[in-house]
Amino acid sequence: LGAAARRAGAALDAESLAERARRAVASRRVSVRPAADGMAWLSVLGPMKDVVGAFCALSAEEGRRHVVDPDLPAEQWDAAMAAARADTRGKGAWLADRALELLSGRAHGQPQPVEVSL
């Protein structure tokens, strides 16, 4: 029923719908909310195409995380295979870790520097 009402409204005033979409872009933002057990939610509100594009890029990188370059020299091949086998994180954990690494500029496993100003 809600979808039908939106379709009818869009058919009656398509320009108003387009203007709402243009204004919505101005409300893009990043926010942080605490979660249980020392965790937190980092949310990005942005245009659908950009947010989905970012998620697809992360997902594609995750899909390649256990792929080892067959052209690696033999002495690097064993280390690359061992590293791929050692990463036992699930997809969700890997995506979260990689997104935070990219956003913070940290390398994998590098601790997050914290400054406390009193």
Side-chain angles (χ1 to χ4, degrees), residues 1-115:
L1 184 60
R6 281 189 294 281
R7 282 193 303 274
L12 291 173
D13 191 4
E15 182 54 37
S16 173
L17 189 62
E19 180 58 29
R20 272 186 59 192
R22 283 190 291 273
R23 281 196 316 260
V25 172
S27 67
R28 61 193 183 280
R29 64 185 171 277
V30 175
S31 60
V32 176
R33 292 178 297 139
D37 302 323
M39 302 291 279
W41 292 97
L42 174 66
S43 301
V44 177
L45 177 64
M48 176 74 79
K49 64 180 177 50
D50 296 330
V51 174
V52 170
F55 182 77
C56 287
L58 273 172
S59 293
E61 187 176 343
E62 191 276 334
R64 295 185 302 269
R65 72 181 167 138
H66 292 300
V67 176
V68 177
D69 183 356
D71 296 328
L72 279 176
E75 62 273 4
Q76 294 177 8
W77 177 265
D78 290 334
M81 287 298 292
R85 281 192 297 271
D87 189 354
T88 59
R89 294 174 288 178
K91 180 178 181 175
W94 189 94
L95 290 170
D97 292 347
R98 183 66 180 134
L100 293 172
E101 288 166 5
L102 290 169
L103 289 169
S104 68
R106 293 180 293 120
H108 177 67
Q110 181 181 9
Q112 177 67 49
V114 176
E115 180 178 318

